[in-house]
Amino acid sequence: MRLTLAWREALWAFAFLAIPLAFFLYFRILPAFQALWLSLYEWHADPSQRHFVGLEHYARLLEDPLLRRALWNTLLYTLLGIPSQIALGLVIALLLQWTPFGRDFFRAIYFAPYVTPAVAVAWVWSWMLSPHFGLVNELLALLGIPPQPFLQSPNQALPTVTWVVVWQNLGFQVVLFLAGLESIPRQYYEAARIDGAEGWRLFRHITWPLLNPVLVFSVVIGTIGYLQLFTQVVNLNFTDQGGPLNSTLTLALYIYQLAFLRFQLGYAATVTVLLFALILLVTLVQLKLLTRRVEL
């Protein structure tokens, strides 16, 4: 049977689509189901020694104080980091939009930390925040402020890590908001000015509503990043990962410690399922609450 040109084009299209689909199913979906299956077993290196424990690991979640600490810390990172980086990113984007020259230069400067490896950023900041010879404490001394322990203090460590993550992600937020601001048609502002609107009223009734898609994207992507926070926490305080006194421990780091330091892979898979459910729930709630239809 001789295929028509339309059928041949369709078959080639499906063939090219099948390759990324197979990649996605094998590397994304299959491990998720394997984690769900593993969470129901007591893991052992010898497959014949693994035994089914049902929901025993899920019952253990309710009695694990370290898990509660990691969950609370992860939520704190998200609650502190997301509003900070979005507010700073929007303010800087607005300032850059009003800048008559040098916008591309400043955009590159702000974006540079985002494309720098997180490990390198963390190690540089760990040196700068050292309570003994760090540059930050030297600057504070010039202002007459006593040295701060930063990453060595249970009270200051979590906000300090959050600040480093916000600093690194700030350039991404600036670029996103600049793209959103530049996509708003100028005619809306011109029409509003003819009606007498200026300043805050322009921002409130035109800029902010039309930035809603960018805002939703920033909140959802940023939240997923904070819920999976790992690299900066591990490398900022490499000799006491998650410390001091578990004050910076995150869910992702706790999963790593369970799986590769304590070799409790079954329970680690259970915490992974919990993290997956948390990310899915938070994302759906954010999309429901933040997505709005704009009518001007």
Side-chain angles (χ1 to χ4, degrees):
M1 184 179 67
R2 186 178 179 82
L3 298 176
T4 64
L5 177 61
W7 270 104
R8 290 200 299 273
E9 289 178 345
L11 288 176
W12 274 111
F14 282 121
F16 281 113
L17 288 173
I19 296 173
L21 179 63
F23 182 87
F24 180 79
L25 291 175
Y26 187 78
F27 287 101
R28 294 288 186 179
I29 302 301
L30 181 60
F33 282 103
Q34 285 181 323
L36 183 61
W37 172 83
L38 191 59
S39 69
L40 304 175
Y41 283 81
E42 191 65 51
W43 185 85
H44 192 279
D46 181 1
S48 62
Q49 299 295 320
R50 299 172 189 172
H51 61 275
F52 183 75
V53 295
L55 299 178
E56 185 177 310
H57 290 317
Y58 290 91
R60 181 181 167 186
L61 292 175
L62 303 175
E63 302 171 352
D64 186 349
L66 209 51
L67 173 69
R68 288 198 292 272
R69 183 61 186 267
L71 181 60
W72 173 246
N73 288 345
T74 304
L75 294 177
L76 273 182
Y77 281 121
T78 307
L79 293 175
L80 291 173
I82 293 298
S84 302
Q85 69 183 37
I86 286 181
L88 288 172
L90 179 58
V91 169
I92 294 173
L94 288 169
L95 293 174
L96 288 179
Q97 193 190 28
W98 295 335
T99 303
F101 53 86
R103 187 184 307 173
D104 291 339
F105 171 76
F106 286 110
R107 182 161 44 189
I109 292 295
Y110 280 111
F111 197 67
Y114 184 73
V115 295
T116 305
V119 174
V121 169
W123 278 91
V124 169
W125 274 103
S126 69
W127 170 77
M128 293 175 64
L129 294 169
S130 169
H132 306 294
F133 50 80
L135 179 63
V136 176
N137 271 324
E138 290 184 7
L139 294 175
L140 292 179
L142 294 177
L143 300 174
I145 301 174
Q148 300 298 314
F150 295 119
L151 296 169
Q152 309 301 322
S153 164
N155 296 324
Q156 295 184 12
L158 191 144
T160 304
V161 174
T162 307
W163 157 249
V164 173
V165 179
V166 168
W167 177 84
Q168 187 174 17
N169 292 340
L170 188 57
F172 181 64
Q173 298 297 328
V174 171
V175 170
L176 276 181
F177 281 122
L178 266 179
L181 290 170
E182 292 173 358
S183 68
I184 299 176
R186 299 296 98 182
Q187 295 90 332
Y188 292 156
Y189 292 107
E190 294 167 2
R193 287 193 179 95
I194 291 174
D195 292 337
E198 289 293 341
W200 170 249
R201 292 179 63 190
L202 288 177
F203 177 82
R204 180 184 174 188
H205 296 290
I206 296 179
T207 306
W208 183 251
L210 291 178
L211 279 178
N212 182 260
V214 178
L215 180 68
V216 172
F217 179 80
S218 297
V219 171
V220 170
I221 294 298
T223 301
I224 292 173
Y226 277 96
L227 291 178
Q228 297 177 329
L229 192 61
F230 177 80
T231 306
Q232 290 89 346
V233 177
V234 167
N235 290 282
L236 274 168
N237 199 354
F238 194 75
T239 56
D240 187 13
Q241 297 173 349
L245 300 176
N246 297 315
S247 60
T248 60
L249 183 67
T250 63
L251 277 177
L253 178 56
Y254 187 47
I255 292 170
Y256 169 79
Q257 292 176 344
L258 285 171
F260 301 108
L261 299 182
R262 306 181 194 176
F263 301 104
Q264 300 176 9
L265 266 71
Y267 186 53
T270 309
V271 182
T272 303
V273 173
L274 172 67
L275 179 59
F276 172 78
L278 179 64
I279 291 174
L280 180 63
L281 176 65
V282 171
T283 302
L284 292 177
V285 170
Q286 288 176 334
L287 289 175
K288 179 69 175 177
L289 294 179
L290 297 177
T291 305
R292 292 186 175 89
R293 177 177 294 179
V294 179
E295 295 181 2
L296 293 176

